[in-house]
Amino acid sequence: MDRIIISGGTALRGTVRVSGSKNAALPILMTALLTDEPITLRNIPRLRDVATALKLLAGLGVQSRWQGEEELWLHCPALVQDEAPYDLVKTMRASFLVLGPLLARAGHARVSTPGGCAIGARPVNLHIAGIRALGARVRLRHGYVEAHCERLAGGRVWLDAPSVGATENVMMAAVLARGTTTIENAAREPEVQDLARMLNAMGGRVRGAGSHVVEIEGVERLRGVAHEVIPDRIEAGSFMIAAAITGGDILVERAPFEHLEAVIAKLEECGAVVRREGGGLRVSRRAALLPVEVRTLPYPGFPTDLQAQMMALLTQARGTSVITETIFESRFSHALELIRMGADIVIKGATAVVRGPSRLSGAPVMASDLRASMGLILAGLAAENTTELSRVYHLDRGYEAIEKKLGALGASIERVDR
Ligand code: EPZ
């Protein structure tokens, strides 16, 4: 099993290029099911989750091949079956995003429910309510969602929570429905907006993505197109925090400024300096880190996927910070590992009180979600002596060659297989 070994204490300096967004790529990969014509996707990151999605799609009848480092060709001339099996959906929750496209393409789908994971129960009730509002007959049997509908009919969908996945599943179901669908209290994330751009390029009629009301006018068919996926704002934010926690100076190339406003504001409040430069963001920090309050919120608020990374940073701030996690019910597992490294953190329900600065000492650590893993790597970069991170497969789900990118910035980091 791979491990990552980090020797801390180096200020990271240099330039790093952000890969394509995992959370934009995953739903956009599923749009291959919505047309019998080939699609070409650019700026696709080489991640474990992308490989899992391609394996799932292959089982459904989607041919795919890489055309260069970051370009994928996909074609689904016809579905060969309509089932997303438990072993794949359990591995990657985003597999559940085939539900909408399968219903739209074939009128039936049998998709395993994802079950919980390390950060929470992660139910799919909003996805199911959404497709039911479009006329699908849905039942839950043996851990699978079984959905049928000759042809979906446009309807009004109210989402109790602005769920990213539910918004995306309903958009993909509605795009070929008869009539118009409105999704109210829709998620506004950039990844939802990128999916809408892809669907519209294919001939869909999606309006309002990025606002709380998305309107989808159903069309008869969609065509194959080429699309470039947006850069990964979470990877970009992770490198920005790496500059801040090590007191370095990093140019994060292709960092999507317009998707990072909450993160930039929070890092500046901490004392980091963020400047736009050459299509990216240059982040440096020389002054002492200042404590702040962080509250994770749906976009455009501070992203929950950067909460662990921010907690690592705030262990080095001079004073008391408070982090409130409002999106997932148990996303503080990294706090226990940071405490083992010497951090002073007290968890009270959905709130973590972080007192600093703490002298972090390297330790053997592990995490059970990919963003927590990144938080522990950032702590290792600031810690004295050596940190050894196990369960690296979580990291590989969402970060492309992270040890190479951090190593190129001067970090003493290596991947070992032991
Ligand atoms: C997406 O997950 C992302 N994944 C997550 O990133 C991200 O943390 C999350 O959005 C929130 O921003 C992808 O895009 C592939 P949600 P998703 O549905 O769609 C509750 C990462 O590290 N909810 O917006 O699953 C849910 O329990 C991953 O890249 C319901 O109650 O998130 C949670 O509390 C981690 N019922 C809240 O909504 C539902 O039917 C937000 O979940 C659906 C969700």
Side-chain angles (χ1 to χ4, degrees):
M1 299 287 271
D2 284 2
R3 290 168 183 271
I4 286 189
I5 317 286
I6 306 127
S7 299
T10 308
L12 300 192
R13 297 184 189 293
T15 298
V16 66
R17 177 180 176 277
V18 174
S19 300
S21 164
K22 168 178 85 76
N23 290 349
L26 292 174
I28 286 173
L29 283 168
M30 309 313 183
T31 65
L33 294 165
L34 290 168
T35 176
D36 58 6
E37 296 181 8
I39 64 174
T40 297
L41 300 177
R42 298 192 186 95
N43 201 30
I44 299 289
R46 293 270 184 152
L47 301 172
R48 182 187 287 265
D49 273 7
V50 170
T52 303
L54 293 178
K55 186 175 174 187
L56 171 70
L57 289 170
L60 299 172
V62 179
Q63 303 154 20
S64 65
R65 65 168 178 266
W66 289 95
Q67 297 180 151
E69 194 47 38
E70 301 173 324
E71 182 172 304
L72 261 179
W73 174 91
L74 300 102
H75 188 199
C76 181
L79 288 177
V80 298
Q81 54 106 356
D82 73 342
E83 180 168 318
Y86 174 70
D87 63 321
L88 286 177
V89 180
K90 182 69 187 163
T91 310
M92 184 186 69
R93 172 187 171 77
S95 307
F96 200 73
L97 291 172
V98 299
L99 176 63
L102 285 174
L103 263 181
R105 176 81 179 262
H108 49 85
R110 186 167 188 271
V111 181
S112 168
T113 51
C117 73
I119 62 179
R122 305 199 70 185
V124 288
N125 58 309
L126 301 179
H127 299 241
I128 293 169
I131 59 169
R132 276 188 169 134
L134 304 187
R137 297 180 307 284
V138 181
R139 62 182 180 177
L140 271 172
R141 282 206 316 169
H142 313 304
Y144 280 73
V145 169
E146 298 180 350
H148 296 81
C149 185
E150 277 312 300
R151 182 164 182 204
L152 296 168
R156 177 179 174 277
V157 176
W158 165 263
L159 295 178
D160 290 348
S163 156
V164 173
T167 302
E168 293 167 342
N169 240 335
V170 173
M171 280 167 65
M172 292 190 282
V175 72
L176 290 173
R178 183 187 307 109
T180 298
T181 297
T182 53
I183 305 174
E184 296 180 38
N185 197 26
R188 299 168 59 185
E189 272 70 2
E191 295 77 29
V192 170
Q193 299 177 50
D194 206 21
L195 173 62
R197 275 191 291 274
M198 173 65 178
L199 293 173
N200 285 338
M202 295 171 79
R205 294 192 191 129
V206 182
R207 283 183 293 278
S211 77
H212 280 310
V213 180
V214 179
E215 187 179 85
I216 305 106
E217 183 187 337
V219 295
E220 287 307 309
R221 67 187 313 282
L222 295 175
R223 58 181 178 270
V225 292
H227 177 81
E228 177 163 330
V229 159
I230 55 175
D232 194 314
R233 62 190 169 103
I234 303 303
E235 186 193 19
S238 302
F239 287 119
M240 292 165 71
I241 294 171
I245 199 170
T246 61
D249 184 329
I250 299 177
L251 175 58
V252 185
E253 278 186 337
R254 307 196 320 161
F257 174 85
E258 65 281 10
H259 301 157
L260 284 161
E261 294 187 355
V263 178
I264 293 166
K266 204 46 74 178
L267 286 177
E268 288 178 333
E269 197 183 334
C270 282
V273 176
V274 183
R275 292 276 180 277
R276 297 182 75 164
E277 183 179 320
L281 291 172
R282 179 176 290 279
V283 184
S284 59
R285 198 266 301 171
R286 286 175 183 70
L289 278 169
L290 303 172
V292 293
E293 291 215 14
V294 179
R295 186 178 181 79
T296 65
L297 287 169
Y299 189 85
F302 191 92
T304 174
D305 291 349
L306 282 172
Q307 181 259 103
Q309 299 91 319
M310 203 66 194
M311 187 181 288
L313 176 66
L314 294 174
T315 66
Q316 302 306 298
R318 288 189 178 177
T320 300
S321 300
V322 179
I323 298 175
T324 305
E325 171 59 58
T326 74
I327 306 295
F328 291 109
E329 62 269 31
S330 57
R331 199 171 198 176
F332 282 146
S333 63
H334 44 281
L336 305 178
E337 296 294 273
L338 292 170
I339 290 165
R340 290 183 55 246
M341 295 175 72
D344 177 351
I345 303 170
V346 175
I347 305 291
K348 294 175 181 158
T351 297
V353 178
V354 183
R355 290 186 181 80
S358 302
R359 289 168 66 86
L360 298 180
S361 63
V365 291
M366 68 170 71
S368 36
D369 98 68
L370 69 99
R371 309 305 179 182
S373 302
M374 189 63 193
L376 295 174
I377 285 186
L378 295 175
L381 291 170
E384 292 162 358
N385 52 64
T386 301
T387 295
E388 182 169 312
L389 176 73
S390 51
R391 294 188 184 176
V392 175
Y393 54 87
H394 285 297
L395 206 59
D396 294 338
R397 290 189 52 188
Y399 291 95
E400 193 175 0
I402 192 67
E403 72 278 6
K404 293 191 179 71
K405 290 187 173 182
L406 288 172
L409 294 169
S412 169
I413 181 170
E414 61 169 332
R415 179 187 292 253
V416 296
D417 179 358
R418 66 164 86 140

